[in-house]
C-alpha cells in the first residue's frame, strides 16, 4: 500500500475516560481498545450513525491502578468475540473476554507491567521488575531476567523473536530465553517499540529521538524533531511513521523527515495507525483522537473550530508573559480606562500574546509599545519550595502512576546528601540513589562533579555519601570561582556516522539516475569511490597529522554543494563539516576559498534559503561552527559575522532541540573569537543574539549552559563593558 503524503486533520474525538489515556490497541476487527489512568480499558467500535466516529462498546473494570499496555487476541473457540490483554501498575496481567466483559487475572510480576506481546497462543509480559514472563494457558511457563534495569516495552517479530527496550538504554533481541543481539545507541530510556515491515525495528526514547534498526543491530536512521521524551512509535504499510511525545505533539515521519506535527492539549502517551492509514492518539487530557488525511472523513468546521479553541485555551492557561499568567491579563477593554500618569504601562492580553501599552498624557491615549516576553531576569529568579529559595526545584517522575515529586537542590550541596534525604522524605527505596544523583548532576550542569574518595556507601561499599561525613566538595564550592568564564578555546561537532552519510548519498544518487532530466547531476562510480576514500581518511583520526586529501576530493565536494538539488545537500554538508576538522582538508578548502568566489558563504546561503530543508540547516550551522577550530578562518568568520548570525537566527526558537544547541555553540565560539579580536561591535551583536536565545523557556540544559557561558564571558571582558556603554545596552 502506498500513500502520497497529505496533511492529517482531526476526524473525531472519543470521550469517556476520566483521566490520562495511556495505551491504544488497534484490533483486527476494526475496533479500538484504550487504557487509562482511570483504571479502565474501553473498547470502541465504529459508530452506527456516523462512519467517521466510534462508540463505546465495553468498559472493562478489574485493575486496581492505572492501565498501560494492551494487545488484541483474535476470536477463537475459547474467546468467540476475541479478547484484550492488559497490563497495569498493579503488577497484574489481565485477559478480557470481549463477549462477556469478564477478566482473568495473571499474577507473577513484582512491579508495574509495561509491555504485552502475543507469541502464538501464549502471552509475553514485560515489567519494571526487569523480567519477562511467558504465559501458557494462564500459567507462567517461562520467567527470566532480560535486563538489569526496568523493561519498558516488548514486541514480537514475524520471525518469532522478541525485542525488548529498557531503561538501560538498550534494545535486546531474544530467541527463546537467549539474547542474540544487543542494540546500543540511545542515550536514555527506551520507551516504545514497533516493527517496521521489511526494514527492521523502531524505538522511541527519553533522549528525544526515534531510531530505525536493522535486526543485525545496525542503526539505519535516527529521527530527531521532538523536544522532550518520546513515549511511542508506530509504522504503517505506506512507509509513514508516527510518534507521540511529552512535548504534546504527534509527529508524522516520511523517509526519516518529520512531515507534520500535530499539536495536542496535553502529553501524547501513545499513537497508532489504523489499517486505512488514519492515526489514533492518546492524550493526557483523557481524550482519544483520530486523525485522517482523507477529505471525506475529516471533522466538520464546527468540530475543527472547537478543537482549535480547546488547544488555544490550553496554551493560554500555560503561557506566562512578564512573569504573569496570560489568562490573568486584562483584555483590550482595559484600554478604555485613562492612565493615571504619563508613561504608565499596562500589559494587555491580545489573542495568545501579552502586549505592553504606555499612557500618552499629551494625546490622552494608550501607545502600543510591543509584545511582552519573559526576560532573562524572570527566568533567573530562584525557585521557591515550601517557602525556601533554591537554585533548582526539579520535577521528578518516579514511575507511571506515581505523582510528580518536587526535588529541591542548591549547587553548593552534595548531591548524594540531597538524594539520601529526599528519598527518606519521600519514602522511596534507597536503590534509587545513584539514579537521582545522576539526574541532579545532569540537570544542574555539574557534569564534572568528582566524588570525594573518603565517601563510602554503607550499603554497597562504593564511593558515595555517608551521612555525617565531611564534604570536601561543599568546602571548595563555598569559595567563589569563575570556573567556566571567560571561555577559552572553541567547541566543535566532531561525531559523524560516515556509513549512514554515504548510504544517504548513494540513495540520493540513485534517485537522480532515475530522473531523466537530472541524470547529469548524478555521481559516477569513480566519484562514489572517491567519497568513500574521503570518509576513510576522516575515520582514521589517529593519522590526521600525516594523512592528505587530493585536490580532486575537495573539488568534488564543492561541486556537489553548488550543483546538487538543495533537498539533497545535507549529507554532503555533513562530510564537508568533518573535512574542516582535518588539518589538510581545512587548508585545501581555504586555498579554494581564496582562489575562487566565496564558496563558503554561497553554500551557507544556499543551505539556509527557501524552501528550508531542516537537515540542511542543522548540518550547515555545525559546519560553520567547526570552522572556528582553525585560526586561518577567523578573519573570514569575523568579516561575515552579521550574515552568518542572520542566516541562523531562527534557530533560537526552533522546536528541534539540536538547532538551539548548535546555535548556542556557534554564539559561544563567536564570543571567544570576538573577545580575542577586541571587536566591540561584534561582541554587542553576539550578546544581543545570545540573550534572545537564553529567553527561550524550553531551551535544553546544554544549550542554556553554553548561552550563559557566552553571556558571562562577554560581560566579564573589560572592553565589552565600554561597548555596552556606547550602545546604551541596559
Amino acid at each position: 500500500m502506498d500513500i502520497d503524503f497529505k496533511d492529517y486533520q482531526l476526524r473525531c474525538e472519543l470521550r469517556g475516560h476520566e483521566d490520562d489515556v495511556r495505551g491504544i490497541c488497534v484490533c483486527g476487527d476494526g475496533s479500538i481498545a484504550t487504557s487509562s489512568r482511570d483504571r479502565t480499558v474501553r473498547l470502541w467500535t465504529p459508530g452506527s450513525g456516523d462512519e467517521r466516529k466510534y462508540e463505546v462498546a465495553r468498559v472493562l473494570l478489574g485493575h486496581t491502578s492505572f492501565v498501560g499496555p494492551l494487545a488484541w487476541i483474535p476470536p477463537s473457540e475459547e474467546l468467540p468475540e476475541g479478547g484484550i490483554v492488559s497490563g497495569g501498575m498493579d503488577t497484574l496481567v489481565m485477559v478480557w473476554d470481549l463477549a462477556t466483559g469478564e477478566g482473568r487475572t495473571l499474577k507473577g510480576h513484582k512491579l508495574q507491567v509495561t509491555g504485552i506481546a502475543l507469541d502464538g497462543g501464549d502471552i509475553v509480559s514485560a515489567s519494571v521488575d526487569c523480567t519477562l514472563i511467558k504465559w501458557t494457558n494462564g500459567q507462567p511457563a517461562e520467567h527470566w531476567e532480560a535486563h538489569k534495569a526496568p523493561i519498558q516495552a516488548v514486541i514480537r517479530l514475524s520471525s518469532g523473536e522478541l525485542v525488548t527496550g529498557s531503561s538501560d538504554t538498550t534494545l535486546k533481541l531474544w530467541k527463546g530465553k537467549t539474547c542474540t543481539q544487543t542494540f546500543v545507541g540511545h542515550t536514555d530510556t527506551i520507551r516504545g517499540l514497533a516493527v517496521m515491515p521489511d526494514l527492521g525495528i523502531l524505538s522511541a526514547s527519553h533522549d528525544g529521538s526515534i531510531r530505525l534498526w536493522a535486526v543485525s543491530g545496525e542503526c539505519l536512521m535516527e529521527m530527531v524533531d521532538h523536544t522532550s521524551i518520546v513515549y511511542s512509535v508506530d509504522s504503517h504499510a505506506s512507509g509513514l511513521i508516527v510518534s507521540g511525545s511529552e512535548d504534546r505533539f504527534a509527529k508524522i515521519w516520511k523517509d526519516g523527515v518529520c512531515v507534520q506535527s500535530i499539536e495536542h492539549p496535553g502529553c501524547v502517551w501513545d499513537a497508532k495507525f489504523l489499517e486505512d492509514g488514519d492515526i489514533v492518539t492518546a492524550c493526557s487530557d483523557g481524550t482519544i483522537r483520530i486523525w485522517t488525511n482523507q477529505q471525506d472523513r475529516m471533522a466538520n468546521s464546527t468540530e475543527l473550530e472547537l478543537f482549535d479553541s480547546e488547544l488555544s485555551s490550553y496554551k493560554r492557561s500555560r503561557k506566562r508573559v512578564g512573569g504573569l499568567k496570560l489568562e490573568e491579563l486584562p483584555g483590550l477593554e482595559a484600554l478604555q480606562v485613562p492612565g493615571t500618569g504619563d508613561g504608565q504601562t499596562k500589559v494587555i492580553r491580545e489573542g495568545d500574546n501579552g502586549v505592553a501599552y504606555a499612557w500618552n498624557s499629551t494625546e490622552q491615549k494608550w501607545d502600543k509599545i510591543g509584545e511582552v516576553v519573559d526576560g532573562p531576569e524572570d527566568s533567573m529568579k530562584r525557585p521557591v519550595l515550601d517557602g525556601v529559595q533554591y537554585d533548582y526545584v526539579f520535577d521528578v517522575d518516579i514511575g507511571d502512576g506515581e505523582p510528580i515529586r518536587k526535588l529541591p537542590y542548591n549547587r553548593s550541596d552534595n548531591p548524594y546528601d540531597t538524594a539520601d534525604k529526599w528519598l527518606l522524605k519521600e519514602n522511596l527505596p534507597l536503590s534509587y540513589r545513584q539514579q537521582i544523583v545522576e539526574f541532579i548532576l545532569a540537570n544542574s550542569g555539574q557534569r564534572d562533579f568528582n566524588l570525594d574518595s573518603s565517601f563510602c556507601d554503607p550499603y554497597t561499599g562504593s564511593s558515595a555519601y555517608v551521612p555525617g561525613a565531611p564534604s570536601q566538595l561543599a568546602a571548595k564550592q563555598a569559595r567563589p570561582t569563575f570556573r567556566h568564564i571567560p571561555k577559552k578555546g572553541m567547541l566543535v561537532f566532531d561525531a559523524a556516522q560516515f556509513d549512514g552519510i554515504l548510504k544517504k548519498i548513494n540513495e540520493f544518487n540513485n534517485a537522480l539516475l532515475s530522473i531523466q532530466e537530472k541524470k547529469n547531476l548524478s555521481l559516477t562510480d569513480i566519484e562514489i569511490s572517491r567519497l568513500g576514500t574521503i570518509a576513510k581518511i576522516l575515520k582514521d583520526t589517529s593519522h590526521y597529522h600525516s594523512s592528505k586529501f587530493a585536490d580532486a576530493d575537495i573539488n568534488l565536494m564543492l561541486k556537489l554543494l553548488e550543483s546538487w538539488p538543495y533537498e539533497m545537500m545535507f549529507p554532503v554538508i555533513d562530510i564537508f563539516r568533518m573535512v574542516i576538522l582535518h588539518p589538510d582538508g581545512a587548508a585545501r578548502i581555504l586555498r579554494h576559498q581564496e582562489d575562487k568566489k566565496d564558496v563558503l558563504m554561497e553554500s551557507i546561503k544556499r543551505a539556509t534559503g527557501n524552501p528550508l530543508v531542516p537537515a540542511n540547516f542543522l548540518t550547515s550551522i555545525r559546519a560553520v561552527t567547526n570552522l572556528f577550530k582553525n585560526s586561518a578562518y577567523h578573519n573570514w568568520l569575523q568579516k561575515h559575522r552579521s550574515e552568518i548570525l542572520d542566516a541562523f537566527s531562527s534557530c533560537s526558537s526552533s522546536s528541534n532541540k539540536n538547532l538551539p544547541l548548535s546555535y548556542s555553540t556557534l554564539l559561544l565560539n563567536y564570543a571567544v573569537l570576538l573577545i580575542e579580536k577586541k571587536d566591540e561591535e561584534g561582541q554587542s551583536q553576539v550578546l544581543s543574539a545570545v540573550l534572545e536565545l537564553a529567553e527561550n523557556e524550553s531551551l535544553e540544559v546544554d544549550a542554556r549552559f553554553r548561552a550563559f557561558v557566552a553571556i558571562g564571558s562577554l560581560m566579564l571582558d573589560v572592553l565589552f563593558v565600554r561597548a555596552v556603554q556606547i550602545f546604551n545596552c541596559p
Side-chain angles (χ1 to χ4, degrees), residues 109-266:
H109 285 295
K110 296 178 180 178
L111 294 172
Q112 174 193 348
V113 178
T114 51
I116 299 287
L118 298 184
D119 187 7
D122 295 336
I123 297 168
V124 178
S125 57
S127 171
V128 172
D129 64 15
C130 309
T131 69
L132 292 176
I133 298 180
K134 178 177 280 191
W135 307 84
T136 302
N137 297 323
Q139 299 299 318
E142 295 180 319
H143 190 173
W144 73 98
E145 183 182 80
H147 291 262
K148 296 295 184 182
I151 305 172
Q152 300 289 353
V154 61
I155 57 171
R156 180 184 182 274
L157 305 182
S158 58
S159 61
E161 295 165 297
L162 298 174
V163 181
T164 53
S166 168
S167 295
D168 65 10
T169 76
T170 71
L171 290 77
K172 289 184 181 291
L173 182 67
W174 299 89
K175 192 168 186 178
K177 295 168 64 175
T178 302
C179 177
T180 60
Q181 183 70 48
T182 300
F183 303 69
V184 178
H186 280 296
T187 59
D188 207 335
T189 296
I190 293 162
R191 195 58 177 268
L193 297 172
V195 175
M196 186 81 174
D198 302 322
L199 282 177
I201 303 153
L202 290 164
S203 58
S205 171
H206 283 205
D207 64 15
S209 74
I210 299 126
R211 291 185 180 230
L212 174 62
W213 308 83
V215 178
S216 63
E218 177 189 2
C219 181
L220 303 176
M221 185 184 298
E222 182 179 18
M223 290 160 271
V224 178
D225 198 56
H226 282 294
T227 58
S228 189
I229 293 169
V230 187
Y231 288 116
S232 62
V233 65
D234 193 30
S235 71
H236 187 256
S238 63
L240 294 180
I241 295 168
V242 66
S243 55
S245 168
E246 179 76 26
D247 64 12
R248 302 189 297 104
F249 284 91
K251 290 185 180 283
I252 304 168
W253 309 78
K254 184 176 175 63
D255 299 328
V257 176
C258 179
V259 292
Q260 187 180 356
S261 298
I262 304 175
E263 190 172 12
H264 287 64

Side-chain angles (χ1 to χ4, degrees), residues 510-522:
N510 291 334
L512 292 173
L513 288 169
S514 67
I515 304 171
Q516 186 62 39
E517 60 271 23
K518 292 188 177 182
K519 276 188 176 181
N520 62 308
L521 298 177
S522 64

